[in-house]
Amino acid sequence: MKRKFLGLFVASAVACNAFAQEEVAADSASSKGLNHWSIEVHGGINAINASNSNDRAALIPNSDFNPQVGGQVEYTFNPLWGLGVDYTWARNNQALYDNAAHEITLFASANLSNILAKYRSAGWQKFNAYANGGLGVMLYNYEIQNVEEDGSAPMAWAGLNLEYNVSKAIAIGLNGQVRRATIKSWHPLEDGGSWDMMANLGIRYKFAGDRNVRNVALVDYEPKVEVPDITPLLDEQKRQAAEMTSRLEEQINNQNAQIAKLQNELKATQDSLNKHIKDTKPAVRYVPTKEEDEIIKTAFSQLEFESSKAIIKQISYSSLDGLATLLKSHSEWTVTLKGYTDNSGQAAKNLQLSKDRAAAVKAYLVNKGVPASKIQSFGYGSANPVASNTTLAGRAKNRRVEIELYSK
């Protein structure tokens, strides 16, 4: 039976090697392909401490150092943990008894280095500490005083393995283990059995070398979030934003130009409207002040024409100059000149003479700088007399030019 278990372990190792080679071949097409298999052979010493109370087992010494050898096949799922099968043959040969045990267990392994120091440097990544633990069966045979016994017992173990990667394919390790087997035949009434303290030196072979998962750092194994290069997108958005800004600025400039044009047109319209209102506003008769009235009266009281003509005598020039100065200082005024005659002679000739004399006064004032647009002249002949035409003095008063002032 022991040979069958040993043969099964060897066959498993061979099968794992073949499977690992197939896995590498399958992954060779991909640069991301990783191999998960490794095998280890180890050897060392153990110290067995047996607890018992029957007379036969009482002859077993409690501890001594003896050799042991074994091997492992492990499937490492990721840089944190794996599962495997362990086989160990332990020998305990002393003066009074001869003992051998075949221990086959299923174990789990946790990489403490990757758990505790995920971001360590590449140099320190060559060192790894593993916490191991397993459950399985012990097949034992011992002989005491020519009495031999074979049997099996459940067992469990826990250990710590310190491993250094000599290369991508080879690692050497030092591990210590505590193993517990419960053997009822050694103590029928109590918990009889043995405690094994083991120390081993192991050599591990990792299939596929640098593509074995045990050689991959956890930070490299974890899926990386690839951040897309958004520089072209940002550049395109900047370009579009610049184009949009340029178009908006052009639209704003065009709108400002249109607004300025509309403002100018509105101002011109407003000015035209104001002018129209001013031009169409009825003129209001202006009442001169005392000083202004004195200048006006002097100008027209001294106004003389040549007999039966519309020629102003030179004696009237100085008073008319004073009137021209007054009118130029009031651009808001408009002037109406009315010419009259007495009733001597023909009415038609008198009407024309009155018009010509009023026009002569206008021409004189315009010549002195008063705008022509501000002066209107009319003639009414002998109409509206201010005195009797039966006397010489009365007719003299009726031959006159009157002025009316208006302001808007």
Side-chain angles (χ1 to χ4, degrees):
M1 183 175 182
K2 299 171 186 175
R3 292 190 181 91
K4 291 181 179 179
F5 276 107
L6 182 59
L8 180 61
F9 178 81
V10 174
S12 299
V14 174
C16 288
N17 182 33
F19 184 80
Q21 296 300 328
E22 292 178 0
E23 187 179 37
V24 172
D27 287 340
S28 61
S30 171
S31 61
K32 296 182 180 180
L34 294 175
N35 191 280
H36 298 265
W37 292 97
S38 65
I39 60 173
E40 179 191 270
V41 294
H42 55 255
I45 58 175
N46 71 83
I48 299 178
N49 187 335
S51 62
N52 54 79
S53 64
N54 64 28
D55 294 337
R56 181 176 58 187
L59 299 175
I60 302 176
N62 280 339
S63 64
D64 200 357
F65 291 103
N66 288 273
Q68 65 179 31
V69 294
Q72 291 181 350
V73 177
E74 182 177 334
Y75 184 88
T76 306
F77 291 92
N78 54 52
L80 291 179
W81 71 283
L83 290 176
V85 176
D86 177 270
Y87 168 76
T88 297
W89 176 83
R91 180 72 175 174
N92 199 337
N93 186 13
Q94 299 189 34
L96 299 179
Y97 78 104
D98 187 10
N99 175 55
H102 300 270
E103 300 171 354
I104 301 174
T105 55
L106 179 66
F107 71 91
S109 175
N111 190 322
L112 299 178
S113 299
N114 284 338
I115 294 174
L116 300 177
K118 176 180 178 180
Y119 298 102
R120 65 193 189 278
S121 64
W124 282 105
Q125 288 175 8
K126 292 184 178 182
F127 294 91
N128 291 278
Y130 296 88
N132 302 326
L135 295 173
V137 63
M138 171 194 285
L139 304 178
Y140 61 86
N141 170 268
Y142 68 86
E143 180 180 353
I144 298 177
Q145 297 178 343
N146 298 322
V147 178
E148 184 176 354
E149 181 176 335
D150 293 321
S152 63
M155 67 168 295
W157 64 272
L160 179 65
N161 182 25
L162 302 178
E163 193 171 274
Y164 174 74
N165 294 323
V166 178
S167 67
K168 293 295 184 179
I170 302 297
I172 58 175
L174 179 65
N175 68 78
Q177 298 177 0
V178 177
R179 299 195 175 211
R180 172 64 174 173
T182 301
I183 306 174
K184 290 295 183 179
S185 64
W186 288 12
H187 197 318
L189 300 179
E190 300 179 8
D191 185 16
S194 67
W195 287 94
D196 290 1
M197 308 292 290
M198 296 184 174
N200 292 292
L201 180 66
I203 300 177
R204 181 177 299 275
Y205 175 73
K206 294 169 286 186
F207 295 100
D210 59 347
R211 290 198 293 128
N212 192 284
V213 71
R214 293 176 74 96
N215 292 323
V216 179
L218 183 60
V219 292
D220 298 327
Y221 183 84
E222 293 175 337
K224 293 181 175 59
V225 178
E226 295 185 1
V227 180
D229 183 9
I230 61 174
T231 302
L233 178 61
L234 292 177
D235 292 341
E236 177 63 19
Q237 291 180 344
K238 289 180 180 178
R239 186 189 66 79
Q240 294 178 359
E243 290 181 355
M244 183 177 296
T245 302
S246 178
R247 289 196 298 268
L248 290 175
E249 289 177 349
E250 183 178 359
Q251 292 177 3
I252 291 172
N253 293 334
N254 293 336
Q255 290 175 353
N256 289 338
Q258 293 177 0
I259 291 173
K261 181 180 179 181
L262 290 175
Q263 288 175 339
N264 293 333
E265 292 177 353
L266 180 61
K267 185 178 183 301
T269 302
Q270 186 66 45
D271 294 343
S272 176
L273 179 61
N274 292 338
K275 183 177 183 303
H276 176 74
I277 293 174
K278 183 177 181 180
D279 292 342
T280 57
K281 182 179 180 181
V284 178
R285 184 75 177 266
Y286 177 75
V287 179
T289 64
K290 182 178 180 180
E291 292 79 6
E292 294 168 348
D293 188 57
E294 185 67 26
I295 296 172
I296 294 171
K297 286 181 178 181
T298 301
F300 287 99
S301 66
Q302 296 180 3
L303 179 62
E304 294 184 12
F305 294 92
E306 293 183 6
S307 179
S308 302
K309 295 180 181 180
I311 300 175
I312 301 173
K313 291 182 177 180
Q314 189 173 0
I315 194 174
S316 303
Y317 289 172
S318 61
S319 59
L320 287 176
D321 290 344
L323 177 61
T325 301
L326 176 64
L327 295 178
K328 287 190 292 182
S329 66
H330 292 278
S331 60
E332 74 277 10
W333 289 352
T334 57
V335 178
T336 300
L337 298 174
K338 296 179 179 181
Y340 295 93
T341 65
D342 59 20
N343 62 355
S344 300
Q346 298 179 357
K349 289 184 177 179
N350 289 336
L351 179 62
Q352 186 60 46
L353 181 60
S354 66
K355 291 181 179 179
D356 292 342
R357 286 181 171 178
V361 175
K362 175 182 178 180
Y364 186 90
L365 295 174
V366 170
N367 187 52
K368 292 298 180 178
V370 179
S373 61
K374 298 289 185 178
I375 304 175
Q376 290 180 316
S377 63
F378 302 94
Y380 298 97
S382 60
N384 303 322
V386 295
S388 174
N389 284 313
T390 60
T391 65
L392 183 62
R395 288 194 296 272
K397 290 183 178 179
N398 289 334
R399 296 190 296 273
R400 70 196 187 276
V401 175
E402 295 179 351
I403 186 170
E404 292 179 355
L405 300 176
Y406 295 89
S407 178
K408 292 185 178 181

